[in-house]
């Protein structure tokens, strides 16, 4: 069995990636072609678009090349940094006895000895190397000959280098230029419709959130998410806060609500350290969402992160944005519980009084169910009670 591994950031997928793969497929038949978008690369900073967005672009770009194409989420599901030797080891276990052909660029071939466990890679793969511009570059030829000492099947692929990189495409799109000539049609539709690489912070992140929400939540959670975002935007307008901040935080507040438990715990701990041990499991999705925002979307605004992080628990000294997201989550349109209408009416009148009332009702409900009370919620309730009493 011959398996072709084609990995990369694909941030975004462009026509050059398609040309490379088509050239490799002309060289020989592969029983399976595995497209492997990187998660958190071991040798690079994070990607501009989140993994799920890049996986969607790969689906659009590569699927029609054949039934043997698989878009893998192996690296995207891993918690730790990804290294190629880990991916190859995974494939060796998944397909015992298979021949693995690893498609790489000229720069990667020249620098292969710097890769972690490069000897393992050379002993377990044959490399198909794509020249960047000059296939007679002495450094490249020497590197290929060196690789062949351990991986005799390695060869240079006869394929024309593409005149533009993903970085240049992102920069052009960020300046408002069209990249339709450089991207597969389906990929350009995604990039343009969802503003994935727009230079405007809100357009880019709101668009990205709208792309990934259907992939990360079920229909019921998605309805709740949009209800919260819309209400948060309205409340922000009422209280003189940024409508964009409120809408974006509303879109992202439950982005990790339905994540697997082990991933929930990992991201929550990375966000808050060992304090995770003090928190009830049901409140951790806010912390994980904040970690996702930082690591996958590059959002570092502390007020936005705090609004998402604390939307279930509240805390002492909440900002208005935090209060808005907390209350929008608690009084969104689809909610149906006895105190909902009272709280919804109150939230338009006074945020602090509403927070005191909402926390009181929330703690009462949690206690009635025999669940663990969160210490931040208890402290927040006392904080707002004292604040309102002394006004």
């Amino acid at each position: 069995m011959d398996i072709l591994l084609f990995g990369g950031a694909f941030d975004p997928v462009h026509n050059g990636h398609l040309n490379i793969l088509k050239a490799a497929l002309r060289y020989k038949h592969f029983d399976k072609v595995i497209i492997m978008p990187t998660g958190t690369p071991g040798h690079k900073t994070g990607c501009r678009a989140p993994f799920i967005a890049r996986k969607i672009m790969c689906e659009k770009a590569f699927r029609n090349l054949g039934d043997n194409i698989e878009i893998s989420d192996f690296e995207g599901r891993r918690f730790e940094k990804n290294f190629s030797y880990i991916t190859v080891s995974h494939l060796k276990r998944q397909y015992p006895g298979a021949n693995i052909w690893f498609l790489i660029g000229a720069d990667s071939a020249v620098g292969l000895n710097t890769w972690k466990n490069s000897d393992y890679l050379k002993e377990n793969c044959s490399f198909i190397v794509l020249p960047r511009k000059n296939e007679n570059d002495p450094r490249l030829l020497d590197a290929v000959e060196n690789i062949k000492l351990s991986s005799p099947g390695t060869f240079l692929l006869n394929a024309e280098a593409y005149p533009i990189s993903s970085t240049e495409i992102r920069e052009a799109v960020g300046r408002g230029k069209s990249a339709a000539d450089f991207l597969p049609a389906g990929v350009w539709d995604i990039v343009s419709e969802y503003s994935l690489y727009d230079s405007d912070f809100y357009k880019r992140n709101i668009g990205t959130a709208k792309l990934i929400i259907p992939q990360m939540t079920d229909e019921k959670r998605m309805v709740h998410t949009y209800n919260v975002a819309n209400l948060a935007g309205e409340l922000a307008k009422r209280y003189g806060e940024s409508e964009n901040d409120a809408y974006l935080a509303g879109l992202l507040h439950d982005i990790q609500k339905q994540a697997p438990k082990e991933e929930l715990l990992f991201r929550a701990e990375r966000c808050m350290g060992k304090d995770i041990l003090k928190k009830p499991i049901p409140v951790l999705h806010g912390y994980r969402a904040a970690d996702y925002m930082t690591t996958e979307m590059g959002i570092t605004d502390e007020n936005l992160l705090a609004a998402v992080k604390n939307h279930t628990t509240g805390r002492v000294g909440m900002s208005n944005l935090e209060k808005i997201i907390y209350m929008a989550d608690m009084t969104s349109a689809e909610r149906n519980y006895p105190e909902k209408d009272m709280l919804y009416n109150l939230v338009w009148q006074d945020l602090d009084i509403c927070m005191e009332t909402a926390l009181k009702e929330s703690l009462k409900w949690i206690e009635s169910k025999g669940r663990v009370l969160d210490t931040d919620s208890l402290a927040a309730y006392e904080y707002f009670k004292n604040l309102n009493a002394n006004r």
Side-chain angles (χ1 to χ4, degrees):
M1 183 179 191
D2 289 306
I3 296 175
L4 177 63
L5 171 62
F6 185 19
F10 302 118
D11 192 23
V13 186
H14 56 66
N15 290 333
H17 294 125
L18 278 178
N19 293 346
I20 292 168
L21 183 55
K22 288 176 180 177
L25 296 179
R26 286 194 297 269
Y27 168 75
K28 74 183 305 309
H29 169 77
F30 296 97
D31 300 288
K32 183 176 282 292
V33 177
I34 298 177
I35 309 296
M36 185 74 68
T38 56
T40 302
H43 59 294
K44 293 182 180 179
T45 55
C47 297
R48 188 66 176 274
F51 171 78
I52 289 178
R54 293 181 286 111
K55 184 171 184 284
I56 293 170
M57 288 190 280
C58 286
E59 295 275 358
K60 292 289 186 181
F62 296 117
R63 273 297 186 195
N64 63 356
L65 293 184
D67 295 335
N68 60 340
I69 303 285
E70 174 188 327
I71 314 298
S72 174
D73 63 355
F74 171 73
E75 292 193 1
R77 287 185 289 105
R78 283 178 48 78
F79 302 150
E80 298 84 6
K81 284 186 175 182
N82 288 294
F83 295 95
S84 294
Y85 82 91
I86 295 174
T87 298
V88 169
S89 177
H90 163 73
L91 294 178
K92 296 289 284 186
R93 291 192 302 272
Q94 191 174 14
Y95 302 101
N99 301 313
I100 297 178
W101 300 76
F102 197 164
L103 185 55
I104 62 174
D107 292 344
S108 294
V110 171
L112 187 62
N113 286 336
T114 68
W115 288 23
K116 194 173 182 66
N117 287 354
S118 60
D119 288 343
Y120 173 87
L121 287 170
K122 287 185 280 190
E123 290 167 4
N124 287 277
C125 300
S126 294
F127 292 90
I128 303 176
V129 181
L130 176 75
R132 182 174 289 277
K133 291 182 180 179
N134 179 12
E135 64 182 18
N136 295 316
D137 180 352
R139 291 175 65 242
L140 176 59
L141 295 176
D142 287 347
V144 170
E145 290 304 313
N146 179 267
I147 295 170
K148 282 183 177 181
L149 296 176
S150 302
S151 176
T154 293
F155 68 95
L156 278 170
L157 182 67
N158 182 19
E160 185 178 350
Y162 202 61
I164 193 169
S165 67
S166 292
T167 300
E168 292 168 321
I169 290 171
R170 293 195 303 271
E171 291 173 351
V173 173
R175 295 192 301 269
K177 305 292 185 182
S178 171
D181 292 340
F182 303 108
L183 303 179
V187 173
W188 172 241
D189 290 344
I190 291 170
V191 168
S192 56
E193 180 178 354
Y194 295 99
S195 304
L196 287 190
Y197 303 108
D198 201 286
S199 59
D200 182 274
F201 174 85
Y202 295 107
K203 284 183 67 176
R204 181 176 70 253
N205 285 299
I206 287 173
T208 299
K210 288 182 176 181
L211 173 63
I212 65 178
I213 284 169
Q215 309 296 319
M216 300 177 71
T217 64
D218 61 23
E219 185 174 353
K220 182 179 178 180
R221 183 61 49 186
M222 185 162 60
V223 168
H224 169 71
T225 293
Y226 277 101
N227 285 343
V228 170
N230 290 329
L231 178 55
E234 294 170 8
L235 288 171
K237 186 176 182 179
R238 160 68 178 84
Y239 289 105
E241 299 295 323
S242 165
E243 294 176 57
N244 281 329
D245 280 347
Y247 187 70
L248 178 57
L251 287 177
L252 295 172
H253 82 287
D254 269 358
I255 198 70
Q256 295 296 311
K257 179 76 171 180
Q258 294 173 312
K261 183 177 178 181
E262 63 274 13
E263 190 174 351
L264 176 77
L265 294 172
F266 174 83
R267 282 192 182 270
E269 182 173 355
R270 188 162 64 181
C271 180
M272 61 185 296
K274 294 303 179 183
D275 285 344
I276 187 179
L277 301 175
K278 304 174 185 176
K279 307 295 282 185
I281 293 293
V283 310
L284 293 181
H285 66 279
Y287 296 88
R288 181 172 190 252
D291 178 80
Y292 185 91
M293 291 164 65
T294 301
T295 59
E296 291 279 347
M297 300 177 71
I299 296 174
T300 57
D301 183 281
E302 290 298 334
N303 201 25
L304 276 171
L305 296 173
V308 170
K309 189 186 303 182
N310 300 306
H311 79 268
T312 303
T313 62
R315 69 175 180 92
V316 172
M318 294 172 77
S319 69
N320 272 358
L321 180 61
E322 290 176 85
K323 299 171 197 175
I324 285 168
I325 300 303
Y326 184 98
M327 290 312 310
D329 180 44
M330 200 164 182
T331 61
S332 59
E334 85 293 343
R335 295 285 196 193
N336 183 23
Y337 56 92
E339 300 80 17
K340 186 271 182 77
D341 290 342
M342 176 270 292
L343 290 172
Y344 181 81
N345 291 328
L346 188 56
V347 76
W348 296 98
Q349 301 170 33
D350 191 300
L351 273 177
D352 290 335
I353 292 176
C354 191
M355 281 298 305
E356 177 189 347
T357 308
L359 283 161
K360 179 181 178 180
E361 295 298 333
S362 178
L363 290 166
K364 186 193 304 181
W365 181 83
I366 293 170
E367 195 168 27
S368 73
K369 298 295 182 181
R371 298 178 182 177
V372 177
L373 296 175
D374 183 77
T375 54
D376 284 336
S377 296
L378 289 166
Y381 171 60
E382 292 299 325
Y383 166 80
F384 282 107
K385 186 166 68 171
N386 293 331
L387 180 70
N388 293 325
N390 292 308
R391 290 203 304 185

